[in-house]
Amino acid sequence: MTEAEKKLIYGKKVLFFTQDNQLISAIKTRLIEMEYEIYILNNIKIIKNVLSENPESILFITIDERLTIQGWNNFIKSINKDVEFNTTHIGLLTGKISNDKMSMLNAGLNLDAGCEQIEQDSEDTIRHIVKTLDKLNAKGVRQYVRASCITDKSTEIFWLDGDKMRRFQLVDISTVGLAIQFEDKHYPILQGMKLIPNAKLALKSKQIPISLDIQIVKKAGNGYIMVGMFPLEVKGSSISIIREYVFSRLHELLMEQIAGRRPDETNYNNVVLSADPTL
């Protein structure tokens, strides 16, 4: 699969730099449920490192905190001017800054993800954000966000088969299903299965009862991959636990991507990038 094909299928990471608790709550309850690949960042020093690893991301910044308006102008302009980030989409969010000053920012910067006021009714704000995400093809063609579990040994599915306990490491998981890997020696046991009833799914410290409709078993490297779907009658509370795991696991993987990179220590409130008008 080419990089262009991957981008078409998997869409874009959606990054929010915000400390607005009401907005964060709305993001978690609405955008994540709508299956956008969402990340919430609270450290400005890592933003460029994240974008360097994922330059086609969509970045929304709440500009009411951390920097002055001029500081945010300098920060965003430094991204706009860097060819490394020429495929990054940036949008601004505010609940405090006047329309006139927002218009000045918009005029001097490349903000193709727009400028939005954070409304008292967060649903209105989310509605505007969703329009922007769909315009920028944030989802790609996928319907559900998956998280890789291959390096997270705390994840497994297990069930009692007669007097034997079967345990298998997860490869990945979404809110509709999962994949497990197993060695050749387990193939005779699993290859004919159509349903795994009364199993338990372990995600970090949580365990949830689950059944799995087996869709496919295929050869993969030195072993096999089994893909299963959750039945439609799975409890909403179980899906919420899975969704929260996917969200937190994706954030873990993002932090692993940038581990070892030097943080951005630039004081954007004081740096002079150009003869911009005072904001």
Side-chain angles (χ1 to χ4, degrees):
M1 187 184 298
T2 67
E3 285 301 313
E5 288 171 333
K6 287 181 182 178
K7 292 168 188 173
L8 179 63
I9 293 172
Y10 296 115
K12 301 174 177 68
K13 288 177 169 55
V14 183
L15 315 172
F16 286 87
F17 178 80
T18 183
Q19 291 81 47
D20 187 303
N21 290 328
Q22 184 178 355
L23 178 60
I24 290 171
S25 177
I27 290 166
K28 287 186 173 182
T29 57
R30 298 290 289 121
L31 295 181
I32 293 174
E33 285 185 2
M34 295 169 72
E35 297 290 339
Y36 292 98
E37 187 177 338
I38 301 295
Y39 301 82
I40 298 174
L41 308 177
N42 58 20
N43 184 356
I44 190 174
K45 296 179 180 181
I46 69 170
I47 291 178
K48 286 188 176 180
N49 289 340
V50 171
L51 293 179
S52 183
E53 293 286 346
N54 306 278
E56 296 210 1
S57 297
I58 302 168
L59 170 64
F60 290 98
I61 302 172
T62 301
I63 58 172
D64 299 334
E65 299 170 324
R66 296 294 180 97
L67 299 179
T68 63
I69 300 176
Q70 185 64 55
W72 282 120
N73 179 77
N74 294 338
F75 177 73
I76 297 164
K77 183 158 287 187
S78 71
I79 295 175
N80 286 166
K81 288 184 172 182
D82 192 329
V83 294
E84 183 179 13
F85 307 127
N86 62 8
T87 56
T88 299
H89 308 277
I90 300 177
L92 303 185
L93 303 168
T94 182
K96 300 177 181 178
I97 296 172
S98 70
N99 289 333
D100 287 345
K101 289 193 174 181
M102 286 292 282
S103 295
M104 290 179 66
L105 278 171
N106 200 12
L109 300 170
N110 179 11
L111 300 171
D112 57 350
C115 296
E116 296 291 345
Q117 291 287 336
I118 299 175
E119 306 290 345
Q120 288 295 323
D121 182 354
S122 57
E123 189 62 29
D124 288 340
T125 306
I126 294 297
R127 191 178 299 113
H128 290 306
I129 291 171
V130 167
K131 287 182 180 179
T132 299
L133 295 181
D134 291 345
K135 179 184 72 174
L136 296 174
N137 194 31
K139 280 191 178 182
V141 299
R142 67 178 171 179
Q143 293 182 302
Y144 301 97
V145 177
R146 291 184 300 167
S148 171
C149 311
I150 200 70
T151 59
D152 184 358
K153 302 306 180 184
S154 74
T155 63
E156 63 176 0
I157 187 170
F158 58 95
W159 68 93
L160 193 62
D161 181 10
D163 60 351
K164 291 183 180 292
M165 181 64 73
R166 309 292 185 188
R167 292 180 179 272
F168 296 96
Q169 168 77 34
L170 302 192
V171 174
D172 58 43
I173 188 170
S174 73
T175 54
V176 294
L178 56 77
I180 64 175
Q181 61 180 6
F182 57 90
E183 299 173 355
D184 289 354
K185 65 182 180 181
H186 298 295
Y187 182 75
I189 301 166
L190 300 178
Q191 61 91 19
M193 296 185 73
K194 300 298 182 185
L195 174 69
I196 300 175
N198 304 318
K200 289 286 184 68
L201 182 61
L203 301 172
K204 301 292 188 187
S205 62
K206 296 182 179 179
Q207 292 186 6
I208 55 177
I210 207 81
S211 295
L212 201 63
D213 292 324
I214 307 305
Q215 303 296 307
I216 189 172
V217 176
K218 62 181 180 180
K219 187 67 177 173
N222 295 325
Y224 288 85
I225 296 288
M226 173 187 281
V227 178
M229 306 293 285
F230 304 132
L232 293 176
E233 61 269 19
V234 174
K235 290 183 178 179
S237 58
S238 296
I239 295 300
S240 294
I241 292 170
I242 294 169
R243 180 175 286 119
E244 180 60 32
Y245 171 80
V246 170
F247 170 71
S248 63
R249 177 61 180 160
L250 288 173
H251 187 270
E252 286 178 3
L253 293 170
L254 190 72
M255 293 302 102
E256 288 176 12
Q257 266 192 332
I258 64 170
R261 280 179 170 263
R262 296 180 62 181
D264 179 7
E265 301 288 356
T266 307
N267 183 345
Y268 289 97
N269 284 338
N270 294 332
V271 69
V272 177
L273 298 177
S274 63
D276 292 323
T278 300
L279 292 167

